[in-house]
Amino acid sequence: MSTMKAVVIREPGGPEVLKVENIPIPRPRRGEVLIRVKAFGINRSELFTRRGLSPGVKFPRVLGIEAVGVVEEAPGDEFVRGEKVATVMGGMGRHFDGGYAEFTCVPASNIQQIQSDLPWETLGALPEMLQTAWGSLFKSLRLESGDRFLVRGGTSSVGLAAAGIAKSHGVIVAATTRNSTRKDLLKEAGVDQVFIDNGSIASQVKEVFQGGVNKVLELVGTTTLLDSLQCTRQRGIVCMTGMVGDKWSFDDFSPMDAIPTSVCLTSYAGESEDFMRMPLEEMVESISKGTMKVKIGRVFQIDEIVEAHRVMEENSAGGKIVVLT
């Protein structure tokens, strides 16, 4: 077999620009690994790339910043054929063709082995979601047991993962949703206190948590960031990681007015080295044992990629969107 099925984008636009085509299977060089992709998650960064909003990305391109599967070929013998592996970031889907395909070729230095019998749709949800949640919590927010922690945008896939990880580390977890019918979803993820988000919840948060929370993960974006800063007690930290609200920047920003005294504002973008430092195998084991829960929103086949992107744009999945090849 010399060709594979892949999702190719040749010009920016809506979901309809994603075309399933047959293209040559990439050939790995020494230091690279060819992975037979079994599943991949859908991420908002891929939505922005599809829209033409990712600087430096040239078309045509196979999107996809993550994938899980089995090793097909490793010229440098870093891995054995048939091993289960996961990969994420490192230029996937941007600088070189990514995971939206039956095969992907990535640097061996950007791969973690997985030893698990979890189904592919579960494993496919994990690499980017867990990397983003873990890095935000422990690299940027420096989360500690006993912290009072708020997830702004709690029903997003990263928000649900962050809530579960934080709860397993002895943290008091609060989260927001705009939809009151999703309270149970948050409770199942480990959330102790749910706030219905109308865009201004600082007074509610300070009423429940005297003086405010000391760690906030901002996943909605700049549309709620100013209010999230007001939810935070002195010497607390707010980490801007996501933009479910589709807005990265402020029209007008006055730091002295926006940032309360002694509150720290930081961010988390995530790089391949963050993925490699993340205890993936440990978290996979926790998921297998049921001590950490992962919410899969929708599962699609690769031929349904257009619909998968439409569901992501609508924010209607209720968890991570995964595509099987």
Side-chain angles (χ1 to χ4, degrees):
M1 186 172 63
S2 61
T3 63
M4 65 177 183
K5 187 181 290 186
V7 179
V8 180
I9 176 173
R10 298 186 177 279
E11 61 181 359
E16 68 281 354
V17 300
L18 299 171
K19 306 294 185 183
V20 178
E21 301 180 8
N22 283 314
I23 65 173
I25 295 173
R27 300 184 65 177
R29 297 172 295 183
R30 185 170 291 273
E32 297 177 336
V33 176
L34 181 65
I35 299 171
R36 182 184 291 269
V37 178
K38 295 294 186 179
F40 56 86
I42 301 290
N43 301 283
R44 294 196 75 82
S45 66
E46 295 149 2
L47 182 153
F48 302 128
T49 302
R50 193 203 73 213
R51 291 174 175 171
L53 302 177
S54 296
V57 176
K58 295 181 180 179
F59 302 128
R61 177 63 70 215
V62 175
L63 298 184
I65 64 169
E66 65 176 321
V68 296
V70 296
V71 173
E72 184 72 14
E73 186 179 352
D77 296 327
E78 297 92 348
F79 294 90
V80 176
R81 191 173 190 270
E83 283 184 325
K84 288 184 180 181
V85 292
T87 184
V88 65
M89 307 290 286
M92 285 183 70
R94 295 187 178 191
H95 304 306
F96 57 88
D97 286 343
Y100 284 23
E102 292 179 317
F103 292 88
T104 189
C105 186
V106 302
S109 59
N110 198 39
I111 295 173
Q112 284 207 50
Q113 186 180 357
I114 306 172
Q115 295 180 344
S116 174
D117 292 325
L118 287 170
W120 286 115
E121 56 262 35
T122 300
L123 294 175
L126 303 183
E128 171 64 2
M129 181 175 69
L130 293 183
Q131 179 271 135
T132 303
W134 182 269
S136 297
L137 295 181
F138 298 108
K139 185 175 184 178
S140 294
L141 285 172
R142 302 188 285 276
L143 200 70
E144 298 178 350
S145 178
D147 275 345
R148 296 178 175 185
F149 168 56
L150 173 66
V151 186
R152 198 77 184 253
T155 58
S156 65
S157 61
V158 172
L160 293 168
I165 294 170
K167 188 67 176 178
S168 70
H169 283 75
V171 172
I172 301 169
V173 182
T176 70
T177 175
R178 292 178 300 170
N179 187 343
S180 60
T181 64
R182 291 193 165 184
K183 280 186 177 181
D184 289 343
L185 175 64
L186 290 169
K187 293 286 188 178
E188 290 170 7
V191 173
D192 301 295
Q193 176 70 46
V194 178
F195 293 99
I196 305 303
D197 201 340
N198 61 2
S200 180
I201 62 167
S203 60
Q204 298 177 57
V205 172
K206 288 181 175 179
E207 184 176 338
V208 174
F209 299 102
Q210 189 172 8
V213 294
N214 53 321
K215 303 289 170 65
V216 180
L217 176 57
E218 177 59 76
L219 297 173
V220 177
T222 56
T223 54
T224 55
L225 179 57
L226 296 181
D227 188 63
S228 291
L229 287 162
Q230 298 302 318
C231 293
T232 312
R233 66 193 316 163
Q234 290 194 5
R235 297 184 178 85
I237 306 173
V238 178
C239 175
M240 166 89 169
T241 293
M243 53 156 295
V244 177
D246 272 353
K247 194 170 180 358
W248 272 118
S249 59
F250 291 107
D251 296 324
D252 183 33
F253 180 65
S254 172
M256 293 293 289
D257 294 330
I259 305 174
T261 298
S262 81
V263 170
C264 297
L265 173 61
T266 186
S267 65
Y268 181 78
E271 302 293 342
S272 55
E273 56 263 30
D274 296 309
F275 168 66
M276 296 305 294
R277 283 195 294 262
M278 176 185 76
L280 177 61
E281 189 65 34
E282 179 183 315
M283 287 192 280
V284 169
E285 186 176 347
S286 296
I287 293 166
S288 297
K289 291 178 178 178
T291 55
M292 184 188 300
K293 298 186 183 300
V294 171
K295 178 64 175 176
I296 309 297
R298 294 279 301 276
V299 178
F300 294 91
Q301 299 295 319
I302 194 169
D303 291 322
E304 301 172 305
I305 190 67
V306 171
E307 180 61 21
H309 264 243
R310 284 183 177 139
V311 170
M312 178 173 58
E313 286 191 327
E314 295 166 357
N315 293 321
S316 62
K320 183 74 173 185
I321 300 173
V322 179
V323 177
L324 300 175
T325 60

